[in-house]
């Protein structure tokens, strides 16, 4: 639990806490016994992920402008150790606009390059555009499965002009917008440059860099979505691709819902996990690995993320591009007492519900490829997903899926030709926002 200041003007920082859920709706402060009290810092957010691939969840903090941030490594004995300096995690790796300190709002984790380890995108406010000025960036986990080292990769994102001179990217979410097997980014920007700050759509290409396709999608000029703040992604219409909900800020407190009408043109597999005895029922903290011919995708199931605590979807969509079969799905449950669940040759283009078995016993899928008699054993009768429905699984939206016209390529032209998110509605809500005087 990140806090802020006890005294802002005198630099008296608030105490951060780690609280443990008791399973009955109450929490216990375990900060002292876990070692989290070693550092006090004003924080804008926290993210939780297994950053070093040891099967345990670690904690990554996003610091206000005056501190550098922490990576709390889970030591496996009930304690945490801050290893930020040793692994190179530092919100102030570079100075921002004209060298001023950067404020970090979130550090969303993802294995964006499909190499099996977790990388980060960090949201930074007070950034600049010059080569010697820091801004929101990809952070690579450069030492892979044998250890971890975090390095800024600021040139991985090719932001297109025009850009705000004083950058303030408040939030971001990873999602595979075109279901080609590479995770992309939607990034919000607010509120220092009226008329210039906007929401960005960043499409990853097969060199593991990100092209700014905001203009290609119609979100510049008259279609620009300015002063964007928090956001989340979810498969609202259960068609196998993720849609986007963006919260606007400042004087325009609306939600913008963006329906994705391009991702479901490619193959996918949708996965929902159900925990069992000895773990949380939503299986938060589980790691899912989807193996296909050509690449392996790794995702973790998160709850609230970053500054605004936006909730991640519990249905995870894995894009398959034109690949027509999944070799296996492996689930590493968030419990040492539960063996991994391995499912071979699962059906695609539908929802696969995987429930953990009792401690020491594998779980199984609860999915249907069109014949309910073939459902796998080891389940307890969870929701069955049928091809072609929109009630509980993804649809096979295009009968021409897998055709050579959608082959993998580093050329974004096919995507740009037909990809368009649709703004469905604006709903007035009383969005909570930080006053502008507290943003600097």
């Amino acid at each position: 639990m990140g806090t802020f200041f006890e005294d802002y003007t005198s630099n008296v920082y608030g105490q951060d806490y780690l609280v443990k859920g008791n399973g009955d709706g109450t929490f216990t402060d375990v900060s002292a016994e876990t070692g989290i009290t070693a550092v006090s810092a004003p924080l804008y957010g926290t993210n939780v992920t297994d950053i070093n691939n040891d099967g345990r969840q670690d904690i990554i903090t996003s610091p206000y402008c005056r501190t550098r941030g922490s990576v709390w490594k889970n030591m496996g004995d009930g304690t945490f150790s801050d290893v930020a300096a040793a692994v190179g995690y530092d919100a102030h790796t570079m100075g921002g606009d004209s060298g001023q300190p950067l404020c970090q709002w979130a550090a969303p984790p993802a294995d964006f390059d499909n190499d099996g380890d977790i990388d980060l995108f960090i949201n930074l406010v007070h950034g600049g555009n010059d080569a010697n000025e820091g801004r929101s960036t990809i952070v690579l986990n450069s030492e892979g499965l044998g250890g971890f080292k975090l390095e800024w990769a600021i040139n991985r994102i090719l932001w297109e002009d025009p850009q705000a001179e004083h950058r303030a990217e408040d939030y971001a979410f990873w999602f595979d917008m075109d279901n080609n097997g590479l995770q992309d980014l939607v990034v919000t920007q607010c509120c220092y440059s009226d008329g210039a700050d906007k929401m960005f759509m960043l499409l990853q290409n097969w060199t593991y860099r990100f092209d700014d396709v905001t203009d290609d999608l119609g979100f510049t000029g008259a279609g620009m979505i300015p002063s964007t703040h928090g956001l989340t992604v979810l498969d609202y219409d259960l068609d196998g691709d993720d849609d986007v909900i963006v919260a606007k800020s400042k004087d325009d407190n609306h939600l913008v819902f963006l329906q994705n009408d391009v991702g479901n043109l490619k193959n996918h597999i949708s996965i929902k996990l159900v925990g069992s005895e000895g773990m949380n029922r939503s299986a938060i903290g589980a790691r899912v690995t989807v193996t296909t011919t050509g690449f392996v995708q790794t995702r973790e199931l998160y709850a609230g993320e970053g500054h605004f605590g936006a909730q991640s979807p519990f249905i995870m969509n894995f894009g398959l591009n034109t690949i027509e079969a999944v070799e296996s799905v492996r689930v590493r449950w968030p419990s040492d007492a539960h063996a991994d669940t391995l499912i071979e040759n699962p059906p695609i283009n539908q929802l696969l519900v995987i429930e953990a078995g009792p401690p020491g016993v594998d779980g199984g899928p609860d999915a249907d490829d069109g014949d309910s008699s073939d459902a796998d054993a080891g389940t307890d009768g969870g929701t069955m997903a049928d091809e072609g429905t929109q009630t509980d699984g993804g649809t096979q939206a295009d009968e021409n899926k897998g055709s050579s016209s959608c082959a993998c390529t580093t050329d974004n032209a096919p995507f740009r030709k037909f990809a368009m998110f649709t703004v469905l509605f604006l709903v007035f809500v009383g969005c909570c926002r930080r006053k502008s005087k507290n943003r600097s």
Side-chain angles (χ1 to χ4, degrees):
M1 259 174 43
T3 61
F4 204 49
F5 285 85
E6 292 183 6
D7 187 332
Y8 182 87
T9 57
S10 300
N11 275 343
V12 180
Y13 303 153
Q15 175 65 56
D16 301 318
Y17 300 92
L18 181 64
V19 295
K20 178 181 179 180
N22 299 318
D24 59 0
T26 64
F27 293 84
T28 299
D29 182 359
V30 294
S31 306
E33 63 196 75
T34 59
I36 294 295
T37 55
V39 174
S40 296
L43 300 180
Y44 266 177
T46 57
N47 289 82
V48 177
T49 188
D50 179 7
I51 194 67
N52 62 339
N53 288 318
D54 66 353
R56 298 186 288 265
Q57 295 288 288
D58 310 295
I59 302 170
I60 299 172
T61 70
S62 292
Y64 183 69
C65 314
R66 303 177 193 180
T67 56
R68 297 181 177 275
S70 297
V71 175
W72 290 100
K73 179 182 176 181
N74 189 329
M75 304 305 291
D77 58 0
T79 66
F80 290 81
S81 177
D82 187 0
V83 297
V87 303
Y89 184 74
D90 186 351
H92 299 163
T93 297
M94 296 178 68
D97 185 13
S98 300
Q100 73 183 92
L102 292 164
C103 293
Q104 183 176 322
W105 284 50
D111 178 19
F112 79 92
D113 50 4
N114 291 338
D115 66 351
D117 58 38
I118 299 297
D119 310 288
L120 304 171
F121 175 81
I122 59 173
N123 287 88
L124 295 167
V125 171
H126 304 314
N129 297 314
D130 293 342
N132 63 340
E133 293 176 332
R135 66 196 74 96
S136 296
T137 181
I138 301 293
V139 176
L140 286 173
N141 190 340
S142 62
E143 292 190 4
L145 302 180
F148 72 112
K149 190 80 172 178
L150 302 174
E151 298 179 356
W152 280 32
I154 197 166
N155 293 323
R156 291 264 178 157
I157 300 175
L158 304 176
W159 308 90
E160 287 193 356
D161 293 330
Q163 299 181 53
E165 292 184 4
H166 189 93
R167 304 181 64 101
E169 286 83 51
D170 290 353
Y171 215 54
F173 248 90
W174 295 95
F175 76 120
D176 186 353
M177 72 172 77
D178 57 346
N179 271 358
N180 71 340
L182 294 175
Q183 293 190 73
D184 311 299
L185 281 163
V186 53
V187 182
T188 63
Q189 193 179 70
C190 188
C191 297
Y192 286 90
S193 303
D194 288 343
D197 58 40
K198 59 182 180 289
M199 181 199 71
F200 290 92
M201 289 286 190
L202 305 176
L203 181 72
Q204 187 180 177
N205 60 48
W206 288 93
T207 67
Y208 307 113
R209 286 167 171 77
F210 293 79
D211 297 314
D212 186 345
V213 295
T214 311
D215 183 59
D216 299 276
L217 293 171
F219 295 135
T220 58
M224 186 173 74
I225 304 178
S227 299
T228 51
H229 221 350
L231 68 101
T232 192
V233 302
L234 76 164
D235 189 357
Y236 175 81
D237 47 3
L238 296 177
D239 65 348
D241 58 29
D242 285 321
D243 310 295
V244 180
I245 297 178
V246 182
K248 301 188 72 176
S249 185
K250 213 170 183 182
D251 299 322
D252 186 7
N253 298 329
H254 289 74
L255 293 179
V256 181
F257 179 78
L258 306 174
Q259 178 173 304
N260 185 346
D261 288 327
V262 60
N264 61 12
L265 300 178
K266 295 182 180 177
N267 291 323
H268 68 274
I269 185 170
S270 301
I271 296 173
K272 178 177 173 59
L273 304 180
V274 181
S276 69
E277 177 187 356
M279 72 178 78
N280 65 89
R281 185 64 173 167
S282 298
I284 295 166
R287 178 175 286 201
V288 179
T289 303
V290 174
T291 300
T292 61
T293 301
F295 56 87
V296 178
Q297 298 182 63
T298 302
R299 306 264 189 93
E300 292 184 343
L301 185 58
Y302 303 122
E305 296 190 60
H307 179 69
F308 298 103
Q311 299 302 295
S312 299
F314 285 166
I315 293 177
M316 294 183 285
N317 290 322
F318 292 80
L320 303 177
N321 206 46
T322 60
I323 294 172
E324 297 183 344
V326 170
E327 295 178 4
S328 67
V329 173
R330 179 179 293 275
V331 181
R332 189 188 73 190
W333 300 101
S335 165
D336 291 337
H338 290 74
D340 290 1
T341 296
L342 178 65
I343 301 166
E344 297 180 321
N345 303 312
I348 67 170
N349 297 324
Q350 65 183 72
L351 179 67
L352 185 68
V353 178
I354 306 174
E355 180 162 356
V361 178
D362 284 355
D366 190 8
D368 185 9
D369 60 2
D371 181 356
S372 60
S373 64
D374 292 334
D376 292 276
T379 66
D380 64 354
T383 303
M384 306 279 282
D386 297 316
E387 288 185 1
T389 67
Q390 292 186 340
T391 55
D392 60 359
T395 61
Q396 193 162 353
D398 185 356
E399 64 183 4
N400 294 321
K401 285 183 179 180
S403 66
S404 60
S405 62
C406 296
C408 292
T409 175
T410 58
D411 181 9
N412 293 327
F415 171 79
R416 291 171 178 171
K417 182 176 180 181
F418 63 78
M420 179 61 70
F421 285 82
T422 305
V423 180
L424 289 187
F425 59 81
L426 299 179
V427 180
F428 177 81
V429 293
C431 293
C432 295
R433 65 190 187 278
R434 188 176 302 279
K435 300 294 186 180
S436 59
K437 66 181 181 180
N438 291 333
R439 295 178 52 86
S440 58

